[in-house]
Amino acid sequence: MIYNLIIFLYVSAVRLAALFSEKVSKMVKGQKESFSILKQHIDPSARYLWFHAASLGEFEQGRPLIEAIRKQYPDYKILQTFFSPSGYEVRKDYKGADVVCYLPLDTPGNVKKFIDLAHPYMAFFIKYEFWKNYLEELHRRQIPVYSVSSIFRPGQIFFRWYGGCYKDALKSFTHLFVQNEESVHLLKTIGISNTTIVGDTRFDRVLEICNQAKNLPLVEQFKGNALTLVAGSSWAPDEDIFIPYFNSHPEMKLIIAPHVISESHLKEIMTKLKRPVVRYTEATEENVKQADCLIIDCFGLLSSIYRYGEVSYIGGGFGVSIHNTLEAAVYGIPVVFGPNNKKFLEAQGLKQCKGGFEITGAEEFNALMDNWIKDPASLAASGKNAGNYVSAHAGALDKIMKTVQL
């Protein structure tokens, strides 16, 4: 089969890459350990609900469903798998799951061994996870499997003339909970109609995070009464846009939570800053009040830190793609991001409602900031638009829970 040949070549490429990449090496090592984790921790007498997410973002997308099911059906156990180290390494100790491990690569041998050990009662694949061998083996064993918050576009392989085996994989799903009408239409063109439009569970998740946001006294003391820009998941091209503006505007403060917190990147950021700066891990009640810029050099705080901003800048839009805009928008503050955002429905929705703003360079960013600083009413209106957009699109979780019956 062509697909299995592709997987074989992919496995070979991953093993080669592991020799040169610490991240890939962690993934390969973790996948090898998955079977021993399952042998050690899976209770053969229990019924497991299996949730699979590629990475941390997809996990957060599926998390509201995991926690709702666990609350409503406490007799079931949860197996959570990841493909990427950026998901597994952060959430390997997630208390909402009974077992957490990597998902072994999609070879026929791995698939049968994994499902034999895990013996899932039901499976949920989040967003873009469409592993053909896993899906078809689950289908053969009559194990219900659902796609959660998936979204489809015309350019994907499922809708190309050469995508036959991938189309067949989608037919293994018991049901697909999709984000929009276009996805339903596209799936119908390849003979798949077991779909329901529910929207995106991330809206439910960010509302939950907002309600549980941590109080961060040091950040509050840093902010004081100053207008504060929170730059989340930023990369160097993003920092080259907002840092010069900050340097020349003493009336504002800046919080930077870079996507990469390596020492080299942190030093690079600090060389660009011309105003007093302190790193969060070195902040005290005394020095944080003297700083104009606060660098978040640790993980796990960003979703709570957005609450202290009047404006947010979401990084990644001048690289591969933007990061999570909803985490900021939920607090009722406008969201600014770069041009690589077209694949994200929420970014398009935020732009349409004038709660999100795309920039292509420093000139546009400067104009936005100048306007908001001079016109606080305009800033408040933009923020309100962003918050209302998030609230209006929540509810995917309830729709899924009404359909999935255990």
Side-chain angles (χ1 to χ4, degrees), residues 20-263:
F20 307 98
S21 167
E22 182 181 356
K23 180 178 179 180
V24 179
S25 178
K26 279 184 178 180
M27 182 180 76
V28 170
K29 183 174 181 287
Q31 289 173 349
K32 288 179 180 177
E33 294 172 347
S34 293
F35 297 122
S36 61
I37 290 173
L38 294 178
K39 286 177 183 176
Q40 184 177 353
H41 295 290
I42 289 289
D43 177 358
S45 66
R47 291 180 296 180
Y48 282 85
L49 304 177
W50 171 26
F51 290 82
H52 175 63
S55 191
L56 185 60
E58 289 78 11
F59 166 76
E60 291 296 336
Q61 207 162 5
R63 185 169 174 172
L65 181 59
I66 295 172
E67 295 180 356
I69 284 180
R70 193 169 189 101
K71 183 177 180 181
Q72 188 166 332
Y73 302 101
D75 293 338
Y76 290 83
K77 290 185 178 291
I78 302 294
L79 166 64
Q80 173 67 56
T81 60
F82 291 97
F83 184 78
S84 167
S86 59
Y88 177 78
E89 294 300 330
V90 177
R91 291 289 179 249
K92 59 187 175 183
D93 297 319
Y94 172 54
K95 302 303 181 187
D98 299 282
V99 182
V100 181
C101 64
Y102 280 94
L103 181 69
L105 290 172
D106 193 30
T107 66
N110 281 347
V111 167
K112 288 176 181 172
K113 187 175 182 181
F114 182 90
I115 296 178
D116 283 344
L117 290 170
H119 65 88
Y121 179 80
M122 188 177 287
F124 300 86
F125 283 24
I126 312 301
K127 199 172 183 179
Y128 291 132
E129 291 300 272
F130 308 114
W131 296 107
K132 177 178 171 60
N133 288 324
Y134 277 106
L135 290 171
E136 292 185 347
E137 186 65 20
L138 288 166
H139 183 69
R140 271 193 293 272
R141 299 190 189 201
Q142 297 184 316
I143 298 170
V145 55
Y146 297 91
S147 179
V148 178
S149 289
S150 49
I151 186 167
F152 296 90
R153 295 181 297 276
Q156 289 172 308
I157 194 169
F158 315 108
F159 312 109
R160 301 295 182 91
W161 63 268
Y162 51 82
C165 67
Y166 295 94
K167 296 174 188 177
D168 291 340
L170 293 183
K171 293 175 182 177
S172 296
F173 280 111
T174 305
H175 203 85
L176 295 98
F177 297 107
V178 300
Q179 292 191 32
N180 61 1
E181 183 69 45
E182 182 184 29
S183 296
V184 170
H185 172 73
L186 286 169
L187 290 169
K188 281 182 179 178
T189 66
I190 58 172
I192 295 173
S193 58
N194 51 329
T195 59
T196 302
I197 302 171
V198 298
D200 190 341
T201 49
R202 282 183 301 167
F203 290 94
D204 300 276
R205 177 62 184 150
V206 296
L207 283 167
E208 181 183 355
I209 291 172
C210 178
N211 292 331
Q212 298 173 356
K214 304 171 186 175
N215 288 317
L216 301 170
L218 285 175
V219 180
E220 189 170 347
Q221 290 171 15
F222 163 79
K223 173 185 171 53
N225 296 317
L227 183 146
T228 301
L229 168 67
V230 178
S233 302
S234 64
W235 296 79
D238 304 301
E239 292 145 11
D240 288 338
I241 289 175
F242 61 74
I243 287 179
Y245 187 89
F246 161 76
N247 284 336
S248 61
H249 286 78
E251 71 273 30
M252 66 177 286
K253 289 194 172 185
L254 172 64
I255 301 174
I256 308 175
H259 186 72
V260 176
I261 57 172
S262 64
E263 195 61 30

Side-chain angles (χ1 to χ4, degrees), residues 223-339:
K223 173 185 171 53
N225 296 317
L227 183 146
T228 301
L229 168 67
V230 178
S233 302
S234 64
W235 296 79
D238 304 301
E239 292 145 11
D240 288 338
I241 289 175
F242 61 74
I243 287 179
Y245 187 89
F246 161 76
N247 284 336
S248 61
H249 286 78
E251 71 273 30
M252 66 177 286
K253 289 194 172 185
L254 172 64
I255 301 174
I256 308 175
H259 186 72
V260 176
I261 57 172
S262 64
E263 195 61 30
S264 60
H265 188 202
L266 295 175
K267 288 179 178 177
E268 180 186 342
I269 291 172
M270 294 179 78
T271 61
K272 296 175 183 178
L273 293 162
K274 307 302 182 189
R275 295 170 61 191
V277 57
V278 65
R279 289 162 61 154
Y280 185 81
T281 57
E282 299 173 356
T284 65
E285 290 185 10
E286 291 74 31
N287 66 17
V288 78
K289 294 177 183 177
Q290 308 305 315
D292 294 330
C293 177
L294 178 63
I295 299 177
I296 309 302
D297 55 349
C298 54
F299 292 116
L301 298 180
L302 180 57
S303 60
S304 294
I305 284 173
Y306 283 123
R307 69 187 296 185
Y308 297 102
E310 281 76 34
V311 182
S312 64
Y313 182 105
I314 308 302
F318 291 92
V320 176
S321 62
I322 59 170
H323 295 285
N324 194 335
T325 56
L326 298 179
E327 279 189 340
V330 71
Y331 291 103
I333 60 175
V335 183
V336 182
F337 41 79

